[in-house]
Amino acid sequence: MVYDQPRAYGMAESLQAALDAVPGVQAYILTPLDDRPSGGYVWAQVGAVQSSADRMDGLASDASGSIILHCCGYSAAQAINTDDRVAAALLDWRWSTDAHVSPLRCVSVGAVTADRSVPSDVRWGTTRTYRWDA
């Protein structure tokens, strides 16, 4: 039997579609980030699939992956609202119909901070790290 390892790109495609459906949030998972989004937005760092072998034959039998989502806005309130909407959309969300792929699970959430590196364009944001197993 051959283990069909999930693809990170497939996860990113599903995530883009899921977050495109969230009202009031612009998602930049596979699409380039606009210079100045019009409202609250989320962008991602998608991790590659890591495979492991737990069988005696040494063939891959398990996989896992991670994604870091950056929920942002032009005020702390907008960043928090964006984060709330993204978190609600991804609660128990499964990116694959394959039974061996787990739902995403949030493993960490960062504090809301301001990026003041461009004084005329201050942005606020927080990060969420998710993991999945297959």
Side-chain angles (χ1 to χ4, degrees), residues 39-41 71-80 82 113 122-126:
Y41 62 98
C71 299
C72 306
Y74 296 100
S75 67
Q78 190 175 54
I80 292 167
T82 301
T113 58
V122 176
R123 298 187 191 193
W124 295 77
T126 185

Side-chain angles (χ1 to χ4, degrees), residues 41-60:
Y41 62 98
V42 59
W43 63 277
Q45 293 171 276
V46 178
V49 175
Q50 176 180 348
S51 62
S52 59
D54 64 356
R55 298 184 299 197
M56 290 180 64
D57 61 12
L59 297 175

